[in-house]
Amino acid sequence: MAVSFSNFCCLRRLLINSTSCSRAYLSGFKSNLSLEKLYPTSRLDITTIPKAPESKDGKFSGYIPMDKIQVNYVRSGGPGGQNVNCVSTKTEIRFHLASADWIPEPIRVKLAERVKNQISKEGYFIIKSERTRSQQLNLADTLDKLRNLIHSVAQSLVVPEVSQETLEKQRRLRERAARERLREKRAHSMTKQGRQSPTLDS
Amino acid sequence: MAGMGNRVLAGTDRALDLLRELPRLSLSNIRSNPKAFKRNKRGRGQHGGKKHGAGNKGSGQRQNFMRLGYETGNNPFYLRVPKEPYYKGHHLRREYPPISLMQLQTLIDTGRLDTSKPIDLSALCNTKLFQLSPLENQYGFQLTDEGLDNFKGRVNIEVQYASEQVISAIERNGGVITTAFYDAPSLIAMRDPMKFFASGNPIPKRQMPPENAVEYYTDPKNRGYLADPDLIALERFKLAQKYGYELPDLKKDPELLPMMLERKDPRQIFFGLNPGWLVNLKDKKIFEPEDEQLLEYFRS
């Protein structure tokens, strides 16, 4: 093994004193399995914050802006002794439903109707969770509940487009069912009449 | 060189003179030190004869042994404990001793960990509060969620396993977390770097994770060290939405940014040191290989 004697201490000090460097580039070691080789088309940047998806055309994108939501941590109920008495693990989120622009208008209206029992006098929609022992997990639970609620309301608003053939088919089925019902009704009526004793008029 | 001027012939000089005269060293003119090895005793010949090393009477002499493990009738040791399916393959399962977020916060608060530098396995082992034993199938540390709600440290940390809520706790405070794999020899080097450097071995290159771990370490959801950083950025955003916090912009802090983004190459073990380098702490020097083949090997 041919070994070269290189004193890196001086070199390192030089690099540290340089203003335009960071420790990341001190050794600059890049193997054949470095991320640049594994993902040649990637920008290799974990700091990029993607743009939030917009809720347009009356469809909810799933994005909840956290700056428009108030988060409250309070103490949970139930047994638990000192821990439940001292630790605030119940999470409550609230926002003013009528002025929530991030929810599309039709969904907002229907949601207000569906959850009218959970809206305060001032118009704040409140969701609570004390499902787990952790604040953060409870917060995730409340947001999960909110998202599922909005999605289910959105689903209920979607009117499926029905084709002419299906409408025709449904109309024919309904009419056939009505005819059958009337036929059976008449037959049953005849049976009952047959049980009557004959009179002078009939 | 037979003596320099009036110098008395020292022992080394006499030995070297002798060496010059003697024939070349080969297998035919060397022998081991006495008692270096033991000769196999066979029951043959004049003094190995009569009982031929088989003793007197019994199953020993009659070559009619009981089977291995037999205890003359009572329930033998190897049958006393029933076989349980749950421990099948236990020797192949990797273990990750836990470090809780609460412990991590305490370490940061008491100054045992320096948050101005990336925290990796070496940094955690250097606190001397955590031990790792690769011989017992321990492959690194896992970060557990005890103390999840009160974690406030801003760190660039590298562990071997972390669950989703732990990742969210680190990222919520503006930190960066990566999960990375280290094979056993790399681990032994990392857990006591001083001892490793004193051993005089060149820094090994880190091996790739075993087959059943590749999926974990290439998944951006786990912040794997082999995952695409762009996908990791997307997952950071999604996790922030899931756990209800605004994803902190790492670029807002330009002084800390290089430290936060500092990552090891998949073949690297120590920050700032390449595989193949030989560190001499005593003389404060680092040696690197010059040979092209070696450089290619350590780079591959």
Side-chain angles (χ1 to χ4, degrees):
Chain A
M1 167 178 144
V3 161
S4 96
F5 170 76
S6 43
N7 188 339
F8 272 84
C9 304
C10 303
L11 188 64
R12 195 160 285 195
R13 252 179 271 124
L14 256 172
L15 284 174
I16 287 167
N17 290 335
S18 136
T19 48
S20 65
C21 95
S22 76
R23 286 175 68 247
Y25 307 118
L26 259 183
S27 107
F29 177 64
K30 296 270 172 262
S31 71
N32 290 352
L33 291 167
S34 68
L35 288 176
E36 281 128 8
K37 296 250 167 64
L38 291 177
Y39 304 106
T41 54
S42 167
R43 283 178 314 138
L44 303 175
D45 188 9
I46 67 162
T47 60
T48 48
I49 298 180
K51 205 161 152 285
E54 276 173 35
S55 302
K56 50 184 179 204
D57 302 332
K59 276 200 190 138
F60 181 55
S61 64
Y63 176 73
I64 298 176
M66 283 318 292
D67 47 351
K68 304 236 172 65
I69 306 241
Q70 294 164 29
V71 181
N72 247 356
Y73 300 116
V74 291
R75 285 189 289 279
S76 317
Q82 189 179 39
N83 201 43
V84 83
N85 291 340
C86 302
V87 180
S88 305
T89 51
K90 179 170 173 175
T91 312
E92 192 186 82
I93 63 169
R94 54 171 72 206
F95 61 97
H96 196 247
L97 186 51
S99 59
D101 318 312
W102 47 277
I103 309 179
E105 182 70 45
I107 299 176
R108 213 187 309 158
V109 166
K110 185 119 193 244
L111 185 64
E113 179 53 41
R114 200 197 273 205
V115 298
K116 59 179 188 278
N117 292 336
Q118 287 145 57
I119 300 182
S120 73
K121 200 160 51 170
E122 286 86 37
Y124 281 87
F125 178 31
I126 304 165
I127 307 180
K128 298 169 249 194
S129 170
E130 43 179 349
R131 197 164 147 208
T132 73
R133 302 184 78 208
S134 159
Q135 266 175 10
Q136 309 305 332
L137 293 175
N138 284 342
L139 178 56
D141 189 37
T142 54
L143 291 166
D144 192 39
K145 280 184 187 168
L146 178 59
R147 262 198 204 93
N148 285 339
L149 200 57
I150 298 174
H151 274 296
S152 79
V153 165
Q155 287 272 45
S156 68
L157 282 175
V158 167
V159 176
E161 276 207 25
V162 192
S163 67
Q164 257 321 98
E165 289 103 11
T166 320
L167 286 170
E168 262 300 306
K169 193 172 162 186
Q170 284 172 354
R171 189 191 61 86
R172 265 188 266 120
L173 281 170
R174 262 183 273 123
E175 285 183 4
R176 191 189 307 148
R179 264 183 267 127
E180 272 302 312
R181 182 182 58 81
L182 287 171
R183 196 178 301 139
E184 283 198 18
K185 191 174 185 187
R186 269 182 238 120
H188 185 248
S189 179
M190 295 302 284
T191 317
K192 295 295 256 188
Q193 278 182 21
R195 292 185 190 150
Q196 301 287 325
S197 50
T199 59
L200 273 172
D201 305 333
S202 62
Chain B
M1 41 152 247
M4 280 200 289
N6 298 329
R7 204 168 133 257
V8 170
L9 279 181
T12 36
D13 300 324
R14 290 161 81 94
L16 286 168
D17 282 343
L18 200 65
L19 255 183
R20 243 172 258 122
E21 302 304 313
L22 287 173
R24 176 170 278 192
L25 208 66
S26 84
L27 281 175
S28 59
N29 51 21
I30 54 172
R31 63 161 78 163
S32 314
N33 283 329
K35 307 274 174 69
F37 64 94
K38 216 166 156 173
R39 286 198 192 277
N40 203 12
K41 247 171 71 169
R42 296 170 77 237
R44 305 278 184 276
Q46 184 182 22
H47 300 288
K50 193 178 178 180
K51 291 205 267 296
H52 302 279
N56 260 325
K57 297 192 194 181
S59 61
Q61 194 171 38
R62 292 167 186 150
Q63 299 294 300
N64 182 21
F65 298 103
M66 289 175 255
R67 67 170 183 276
L68 187 67
Y70 185 65
E71 289 177 25
T72 63
N74 54 277
N75 202 19
F77 175 77
Y78 74 95
L79 286 181
R80 276 175 187 269
V81 179
K83 196 160 96 158
E84 295 287 345
Y86 69 81
Y87 58 63
K88 186 176 179 179
H90 73 286
H91 60 294
L92 300 168
R93 288 191 211 134
R94 293 180 291 274
E95 291 180 11
Y96 299 99
I99 297 180
S100 69
L101 280 173
M102 190 154 71
Q103 284 177 311
L104 190 63
Q105 185 64 55
T106 315
L107 290 173
I108 296 168
D109 292 340
T110 51
R112 282 189 190 261
L113 277 178
D114 188 3
T115 47
S116 68
K117 298 198 180 94
I119 299 173
D120 70 339
L121 198 143
S122 282
L124 291 166
C125 289
N126 283 343
T127 62
K128 300 286 190 272
L129 296 168
F130 308 106
Q131 278 78 44
L132 267 184
S133 174
L135 291 173
E136 288 179 35
N137 259 346
Q138 292 175 355
Y139 276 73
F141 294 114
Q142 57 166 310
L143 218 44
T144 56
D145 61 358
E146 184 178 8
L148 176 75
D149 297 334
N150 302 321
F151 185 75
K152 282 177 190 53
R154 185 173 183 203
V155 289
N156 173 3
I157 189 163
E158 189 194 66
V159 284
Q160 280 59 60
Y161 176 83
S163 59
E164 197 187 58
Q165 57 260 39
V166 164
I167 294 172
S168 82
I170 304 271
E171 290 180 349
R172 164 204 306 269
N173 292 306
V176 173
I177 178 164
T178 317
T179 48
F181 173 82
Y182 292 95
D183 58 303
S186 313
L187 215 61
I188 292 169
M190 281 193 84
R191 68 172 175 176
D192 201 342
M194 293 304 205
K195 190 170 166 188
F196 172 74
F197 293 143
S199 72
N201 294 316
I203 297 169
K205 62 177 184 180
R206 207 197 320 179
Q207 296 304 319
M208 280 290 112
E211 261 183 66
N212 57 11
V214 168
E215 197 190 327
Y216 181 83
Y217 290 110
T218 50
D219 197 349
K221 287 194 185 66
N222 305 322
R223 309 296 184 270
Y225 73 122
L226 296 172
D228 188 354
D230 283 351
L231 296 179
I232 290 179
L234 185 62
E235 288 299 328
R236 278 166 56 93
F237 179 72
K238 286 203 258 178
L239 202 69
Q241 269 292 288
K242 180 170 179 179
Y243 282 84
Y245 57 91
E246 285 261 9
L247 186 61
D249 193 356
L250 292 169
K251 293 203 259 277
K252 286 238 170 79
D253 224 338
E255 313 95 57
L256 278 177
L257 186 64
M259 189 281 285
M260 283 292 168
L261 296 183
E262 193 163 346
R263 260 166 156 241
K264 292 181 200 168
D265 184 90
R267 286 287 197 202
Q268 217 178 355
I269 296 179
F270 299 109
F271 280 114
L273 293 174
N274 292 11
W277 285 5
L278 189 62
V279 175
N280 183 343
L281 282 175
K282 191 153 169 276
D283 302 331
K284 292 199 170 53
K285 289 182 169 52
I286 300 178
F287 298 82
E288 64 166 354
E290 249 186 354
D291 189 43
E292 191 49 51
Q293 269 189 324
L294 277 168
L295 285 170
E296 193 52 48
Y297 167 75
F298 283 114
R299 217 184 301 132
S300 64

